[in-house]
């Protein structure tokens, strides 16, 4: 489960309003891959983008939980790259899932860092580089909705199960928001990203076969 526009400055760079409730979309299981696996650029894509995000892994069933106890249902945290194809996300109707769920579009890891190792999930630096250029520098303190708020909210619209992963949104610096000319990925590039205390990922982009 993924949360869109969960950093106010990212919403601004996307020319979209800051949400008053969490924006929810999904990724297919076929999108999941390892933290250092190749990322496929879909056929004919010219608008594939990167998004470093804090991942939250659920540890026990959560249904109608309140915000004060929400973190009790969290097993731990991880790094996620919410790779996104913007044309399919934004120009083929209103269903974000279409641009978010291509194969290899959800690198997760390298580790599940248990909850006790993360003093405060709202005080984590996160960053992303493409070919050595830093595009994203952020901190989870600027989330619109905190981890606890997201777990509580999602538990009201679905029962969360052990092993479920929540991707909590990205800070500013996505290629779509680069001014004056957006920047998108092409085959042969290298993405490197990480979150404070949670490790790093490195992916090479390749053309989808």
């Amino acid at each position: 489960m993924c949360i869109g526009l969960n950093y106010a400055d990212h919403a601004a760079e996307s020319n979209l309003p800051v949400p008053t409730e969490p924006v929810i979309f999904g990724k297919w299981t076929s999108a999941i891959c390892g933290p250092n696996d190749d990322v496929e650029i879909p056929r004919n894509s010219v608008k594939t983008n990167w998004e470093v995000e804090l991942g939250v892994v659920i540890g026990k069933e959560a249904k109608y939980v309140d915000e004060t106890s929400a973190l009790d249902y969290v097993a731990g945290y991880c790094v996620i790259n919410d790779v996104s194809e913007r044309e399919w996300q934004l120009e083929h109707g209103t269903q974000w899932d279409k641009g978010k769920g291509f194969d290899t579009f959800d690198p997760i890891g390298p580790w599940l860092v248990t909850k006790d190792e993360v003093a405060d999930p709202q005080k984590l630096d996160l960053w992303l580089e493409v070919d050595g250029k830093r595009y994203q520098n952020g901190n989870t303190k600027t989330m619109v909705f905190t981890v606890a708020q997201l777990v509580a909210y999602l538990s009201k619209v679905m029962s969360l199960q052990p092993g479920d992963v929540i991707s909590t949104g990205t800070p500013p610096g996505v290629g779509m928001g680069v001014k004056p000319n957006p920047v998108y990925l092409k085959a042969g590039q290298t993405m490197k990203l990480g979150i404070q205390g949670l490790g790093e990922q490195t992916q090479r982009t390749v053309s989808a076969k």
Side-chain angles (χ1 to χ4, degrees), residues 138-158:
N139 189 285
T140 55
K141 67 184 178 183
T142 64
M143 282 183 179
V144 178
F145 303 103
T146 66
V147 171
Q149 288 172 323
L150 292 174
V151 171
Y153 186 92
L154 287 168
S155 78
K156 292 175 174 59
V157 297
M158 68 188 81

Side-chain angles (χ1 to χ4, degrees), residues 32-93:
I32 296 172
C33 63
N36 301 311
D37 289 346
D38 291 345
V39 167
E40 296 181 2
I41 305 297
R43 291 183 182 181
N44 303 314
S45 168
V46 293
K47 293 186 178 181
T48 296
N49 238 177
W50 56 83
E51 293 189 3
V52 59
E53 306 202 3
L54 172 65
V56 178
V57 182
I58 296 299
K60 59 182 179 180
E61 184 176 12
K63 187 173 183 178
Y64 295 113
V65 303
D66 57 41
E67 185 181 332
T68 57
S69 64
L71 294 186
D72 295 340
Y73 296 83
V74 172
Y77 304 94
C78 60
V79 182
I80 293 178
N81 189 354
D82 174 22
V83 186
S84 309
E85 211 293 336
R86 303 301 188 185
E87 181 180 353
W88 277 98
Q89 178 188 357
L90 301 172
E91 300 172 34
H92 291 265

Side-chain angles (χ1 to χ4, degrees), residues 120-183:
D120 186 347
Q122 305 308 145
K123 292 183 179 179
L124 301 176
D125 292 326
L126 58 173
W127 56 272
L128 182 144
E129 298 174 352
V130 179
D131 292 339
K133 179 175 179 178
R134 182 70 60 98
Y135 282 94
Q136 290 188 277
N137 262 319
N139 189 285
T140 55
K141 67 184 178 183
T142 64
M143 282 183 179
V144 178
F145 303 103
T146 66
V147 171
Q149 288 172 323
L150 292 174
V151 171
Y153 186 92
L154 287 168
S155 78
K156 292 175 174 59
V157 297
M158 68 188 81
S159 58
L160 301 174
Q161 302 298 322
D164 282 351
V165 181
I166 304 168
S167 200
T168 59
T170 197
V174 301
M176 180 178 66
V178 174
K179 304 292 191 296
N181 299 310
V183 176

